[in-house]
Amino acid sequence: MIFENLPTTPRSEELIDKAFSRAARAGRAKSGLEAQESMLITAANILSDNLENVVTAWPDFGTVDPFYYELADAIVDVDEVRKSLSEVMWASRQIPELRSEYQSKLRNANLDTGRKHRKQAFARMADIIEEISDDLLRIGEARDALKNLPDIRPDEPAIVVAGYPNVGKSSFVNAVTRASNEIAEYPFTTKGVQIGHFERDRIRYQIIDTPGLLDRPEEERNDIERQAVSAIEHLADTVLFFLDPSGDCGYPLDAQLELRDAVEARFSERDIPVLTICNKSDRSRDVDADAYMSVTEGENVDGVLDLAVEAVGFEPDIPPSRQE
């Protein structure tokens, strides 16, 4: 996952302490103006390298898959993070310029003047780092918020399951996928996203249940949840909307159909098919649906999966064979 391995972002105070303490050790190994220059170079290199590493560790948001871009933007405000990354990169380039400026001054100085130049360089470096202290904090907070986003692969076909709570979505995901499904909480849902996988014709499919997002009406979602739904629109290849016409789920059928229509209208804007699945069909089939099944009774579960795979219509890119 693109944000999972982002390194911890140092705070400005930590970075300054690290650079100047290393510089002091470097200076003790030498004497005279050579010691002052060694301190200057060591501090500048540590500051510049660490700042550049902060920026280059992040992916280029211009090339990030829309799914992850939308999720990131919902949680941290991507534009603000990009501005902070730009400021940090600016600082990383200012430090070497200062180093070169003061190296020139040291060449024509006596020891006392050289020591003053080096101290002045350190003060100016510290000022630059302090100037971006808020940017480092913002980047660090963004990293902490994004590192646990779901490990979903936009290049693999994805089937999203939707519908009110207790209509059988999780039972279906468990029934058709590997036993070790990922279930984790993320900032855009209080109940956690369940992600499973299954294979057909050597193609791996992702099947995703998003409680807290597609299990209630749009007006009940907060801003982060709304944008997370927008991200899912970029991800989904098809949506299975589960209905429980028996009403055992605790929601009347009219309300379930109203939510289904809203989901259908939203995803149809991207030509993403939404299939209506009547679950608990052993108790009631009193609704028009694309398929009827009962997960608990094991009735037509594979048929629903076949229907979803057909709706996805995924065709992998196969490189042409080499001419003999």
Side-chain angles (χ1 to χ4, degrees):
M1 203 281 292
I2 59 174
F3 301 114
E4 183 180 14
N5 296 318
L6 289 174
T8 302
T9 305
R11 294 176 179 253
S12 57
E13 301 86 352
E14 297 169 355
L15 196 49
I16 292 170
D17 289 345
K18 176 182 178 180
F20 291 171
S21 62
R22 295 268 186 90
R25 288 202 298 271
R28 286 194 292 270
K30 298 179 181 180
S31 60
L33 284 175
E34 189 178 5
Q36 301 304 309
E37 184 174 16
S38 180
M39 292 172 70
L40 174 67
I41 293 172
T42 299
N45 288 349
I46 288 174
L47 291 174
S48 180
D49 290 348
N50 276 267
L51 293 177
E52 185 174 353
N53 289 340
V54 166
V55 178
T56 57
W58 282 75
D60 179 359
F61 280 105
T63 60
V64 167
D65 186 272
F67 168 70
Y68 277 119
Y69 185 100
E70 291 271 2
L71 284 189
D73 195 39
I75 297 165
V76 301
D77 191 335
V78 166
D79 284 344
E80 290 301 315
V81 174
R82 294 176 82 168
K83 288 177 186 176
S84 289
L85 290 169
S86 178
E87 289 297 312
V88 171
M89 182 58 81
W90 165 83
S92 75
R93 292 167 177 165
Q94 290 296 305
I95 299 294
E97 292 183 11
L98 273 179
R99 180 194 62 207
S100 297
E101 176 185 339
Y102 281 91
Q103 276 185 285
S104 297
K105 291 182 178 181
L106 286 174
R107 293 192 189 102
N108 302 312
N110 57 39
L111 181 56
D112 286 341
T113 303
R115 189 177 289 112
K116 290 178 182 178
H117 285 323
R118 192 266 305 162
K119 288 182 178 179
Q120 186 180 56
F122 275 20
R124 290 179 64 184
M125 289 179 189
D127 286 343
I128 290 174
I129 302 302
E130 287 297 329
E131 189 173 340
I132 60 166
S133 60
D134 289 344
D135 296 295
L136 290 171
L137 279 175
R138 182 177 292 112
I139 293 168
E141 290 170 354
R143 176 259 184 192
D144 292 342
L146 297 177
K147 66 179 181 180
N148 291 323
L149 281 180
D151 184 15
I152 297 174
R153 302 180 184 180
D155 59 332
E156 292 183 350
I159 299 165
V160 174
V161 296
Y164 270 105
N166 306 318
V167 295
K169 302 190 303 293
S170 295
S171 297
F172 176 76
V173 172
N174 287 330
V176 303
T177 63
R178 300 169 185 169
S180 56
N181 294 333
E182 174 190 349
I183 303 175
E185 290 187 11
Y186 301 107
F188 48 87
T189 170
T190 58
K191 299 178 182 179
V193 169
Q194 182 176 13
I195 306 165
H197 306 90
F198 67 92
E199 291 186 3
R200 285 291 174 89
D201 299 325
R202 292 183 291 182
I203 298 171
R204 193 174 92 144
Y205 291 80
Q206 304 169 102
I207 187 163
I208 303 155
D209 181 18
T210 57
L213 294 179
L214 294 172
D215 64 355
R216 64 183 192 271
E218 172 82 12
E219 61 270 15
E220 295 182 15
R221 301 180 194 129
N222 61 36
D223 289 342
I224 289 178
E225 291 167 345
R226 290 190 187 100
Q227 194 155 348
V229 172
S230 179
I232 292 169
E233 291 178 40
H234 290 286
L235 173 75
D237 293 293
T238 193
V239 178
L240 298 180
F241 193 95
F242 280 46
L243 295 173
D244 174 10
S246 74
D248 289 348
C249 64
Y251 298 90
L253 182 57
D254 286 348
Q256 295 181 59
L257 289 171
E258 186 175 343
L259 179 59
R260 189 275 312 271
D261 292 345
V263 170
E264 196 171 52
R266 176 153 193 168
F267 281 84
S268 66
E269 294 177 4
R270 294 184 181 274
D271 294 323
I272 299 167
V274 177
L275 304 177
T276 299
I277 309 300
C278 170
N279 190 29
K280 306 183 186 179
S281 60
D282 55 314
R283 302 181 193 177
S284 174
R285 300 168 67 96
D286 190 21
V287 67
D288 289 332
D290 294 294
Y292 298 85
M293 82 174 176
S294 172
V295 177
T296 57
E297 299 298 321
E299 295 178 2
N300 200 35
V301 174
D302 287 339
V304 168
L305 204 59
D306 290 340
L307 195 65
V309 168
E310 183 180 349
V312 169
F314 182 76
E315 296 182 3
D317 292 330
I318 302 175
S321 58
R322 280 189 265 176
Q323 298 292 326
E324 295 295 336

